[in-house]
Amino acid sequence: MDFPNLYQQYRQMTDNRILMSFKGVFAQPAIVEMATALRGKVAARTNQTMVMKRIFAIFVEMSQNILFYSAEKEVDEEGKESGVGILVVSEMDDCYCVSSGNLMFNDNVARIRERCEIVSKMNKDQLKVYYNEQRRLPRQSESKGAGLGLIDMARKSEFPIEFDFLPFNDETSFYMLSVYISKGQENAS
Amino acid sequence: MLLNMILERTKTTPGITAHVEDGIIEIEGEFFNEDAVAFFSQVVEWFMAFTTEEKRFLSVHFRLTYFNTSASKCILDLFDRMQSYHYTSAGAIEAYWHYQEDDEDILDQGKEFADGMDMKIMYLPYS
């Protein structure tokens, strides 16, 4: 029998309280379905509207980052290109964690790492100023995103963003990002 | 001649109602489509046509529950254009920022768009 570690994967994901996990192509229609499902799932667990909205927002930003910026692309039957990556939403005792991973060309690592470091060290007021400065910059022509996602995610979280880069092959590295959302004051239910 | 513009709300784009005679634009829903520029350019085009051809009083209502960062850049661009219209045709524009009463993030975002602008903008909670 050849089950590809199914039991171990299932066991591990259950033990780690994974609400949602996806590895594959982040095409826009899939993002819409997953984000909508995630919203329902979190709403069933919390009466904190802001917790639900922030997890949703972070999920969308991370998914669209993968869609636009992952170095690994797949082309669908209509010729539309979308990025490949992994995204995991998990529950902890007092917070939720949204994590994304995708390949990035090594040439970009230093620049993105620096940006992550800057953002992870900023307090709320500094993030607000930085966000509004960056939003005033012209769009970069090669990107459809505004490049604001990272700052926006950090602003929605009560904790510093976490990030790391691991070598993947000669050309690319695996970029990981985690954002935590505090559960806040849950009403007993 | 400028025509009314009605765009139905979809899963990832807000509904748009732009009414010439009433001088009103309403943007209601959420945005997480992948191409914010393409979507919001329709609103900007209508806005520019109204403010150059009709040159009358215009009220702009935002009733958004979520928009991604790419859309936030487009909305800022719209605010800039509204502020310019306010400069050239003093008092000819009013903005209404509607927010769910417990949604502090949306309220804060509205205030940040208007930061440093002196056109009339009202923040209206709804439940």
Side-chain angles (χ1 to χ4, degrees):
Chain A
M1 283 188 290
D2 186 20
F3 302 110
N5 294 323
L6 272 191
Y7 176 81
Q8 289 88 335
Q9 285 196 50
Y10 193 83
R11 183 84 246 172
Q12 205 178 15
M13 289 173 84
T14 306
D15 293 347
N16 291 334
R17 296 157 79 183
I18 305 297
L19 295 189
M20 183 173 279
S21 168
F22 178 76
K23 188 267 177 189
V25 185
F26 281 75
Q28 175 68 13
I31 293 173
V32 174
E33 291 310 315
M34 286 191 283
T36 309
L38 178 64
R39 179 151 58 185
K41 223 169 165 162
V42 178
R45 276 161 205 268
T46 178
N47 47 25
Q48 304 266 305
T49 319
M50 290 320 297
V51 170
M52 186 263 283
K53 288 190 153 204
R54 286 172 183 159
I55 292 173
F56 176 83
I58 289 161
F59 184 89
V60 170
E61 288 297 333
M62 279 186 181
S63 299
Q64 292 184 332
N65 274 344
I66 295 172
L67 162 63
F68 293 126
Y69 304 122
S70 173
E72 187 181 358
K73 306 276 189 198
E74 276 197 26
V75 180
D76 71 11
E77 63 274 18
E78 287 161 5
K80 198 168 164 25
E81 195 179 71
S82 303
V84 173
I86 185 167
L87 211 152
V88 177
V89 185
S90 58
E91 183 174 2
M92 296 166 173
D93 288 340
D94 49 12
C95 63
Y96 293 93
C97 176
V98 191
S99 300
S100 71
N102 61 269
L103 297 186
M104 175 182 285
F105 289 112
N106 291 330
D107 298 351
N108 294 327
V109 170
R111 184 174 55 87
I112 300 297
R113 186 195 290 277
E114 192 193 348
R115 209 174 159 96
C116 287
E117 275 165 2
I118 291 170
V119 168
S120 69
K121 286 176 188 144
M122 284 182 165
N123 64 30
K124 286 273 177 260
D125 291 337
Q126 291 169 321
L127 286 168
K128 178 180 171 176
V129 171
Y130 190 42
Y131 181 83
N132 283 290
E133 271 172 20
Q134 294 291 310
R135 189 162 65 176
R136 283 268 167 216
L137 300 179
R139 274 177 207 272
Q140 291 159 320
S141 56
E142 81 277 11
S143 76
K144 280 188 178 170
L148 291 170
L150 194 65
I151 316 171
D152 183 61
M153 288 188 272
R155 291 186 72 186
K156 288 194 157 61
S157 170
E158 299 81 359
F159 307 96
I161 59 162
E162 290 179 359
F163 56 94
D164 205 359
F165 300 82
L166 294 173
F168 193 75
N169 58 30
D170 288 347
E171 286 186 332
T172 60
S173 297
F174 188 61
Y175 164 50
M176 293 171 285
L177 176 67
S178 281
V179 179
Y180 299 88
I181 296 293
S182 167
K183 286 182 177 174
Q185 299 292 310
E186 293 278 345
N187 294 342
S189 56
Chain B
M1 201 187 80
L2 184 61
L3 299 173
N4 294 341
M5 178 174 75
I6 314 263
L7 302 176
E8 293 293 333
R9 182 179 173 162
T10 72
K11 255 187 182 177
T12 59
T13 57
I16 307 284
T17 307
H19 202 279
V20 181
E21 208 177 293
D22 296 347
I24 190 166
I25 301 179
E26 288 173 325
I27 305 172
E28 179 174 8
E30 57 183 348
F31 187 94
F32 59 112
N33 187 275
E34 65 203 290
D35 199 344
V37 175
F39 180 80
F40 283 97
S41 65
Q42 305 171 95
V43 182
V44 166
E45 262 177 47
W46 195 93
F47 176 88
M48 295 313 287
F50 185 91
T51 53
T52 52
E53 291 167 25
E54 298 287 329
K55 295 181 190 160
R56 283 185 287 112
F57 180 81
L58 181 65
S59 56
V60 185
H61 289 259
F62 296 89
R63 192 186 278 258
L64 292 161
T65 51
Y66 171 71
F67 47 87
N68 62 13
T69 50
S70 186
S72 128
K73 224 168 149 70
C74 298
I75 296 168
L76 181 65
D77 173 57
L78 185 58
F79 266 76
D80 285 342
R81 290 168 192 273
M82 286 155 59
Q83 173 68 13
S84 301
Y85 188 51
H86 168 72
Y87 265 129
T88 52
S89 322
I93 191 148
E94 275 179 12
Y96 296 82
W97 187 265
H98 304 263
Y99 64 99
Q100 256 168 354
E101 60 188 357
D102 58 351
D103 196 338
E104 58 201 85
D105 288 1
I106 289 286
L107 174 60
D108 287 347
Q109 295 199 70
K111 289 187 173 165
E112 283 178 36
F113 284 128
D115 190 33
M117 297 184 183
D118 62 353
M119 66 178 170
K120 194 171 177 192
I121 171 156
M122 274 147 291
Y123 301 95
L124 304 172
Y126 63 91
S127 54

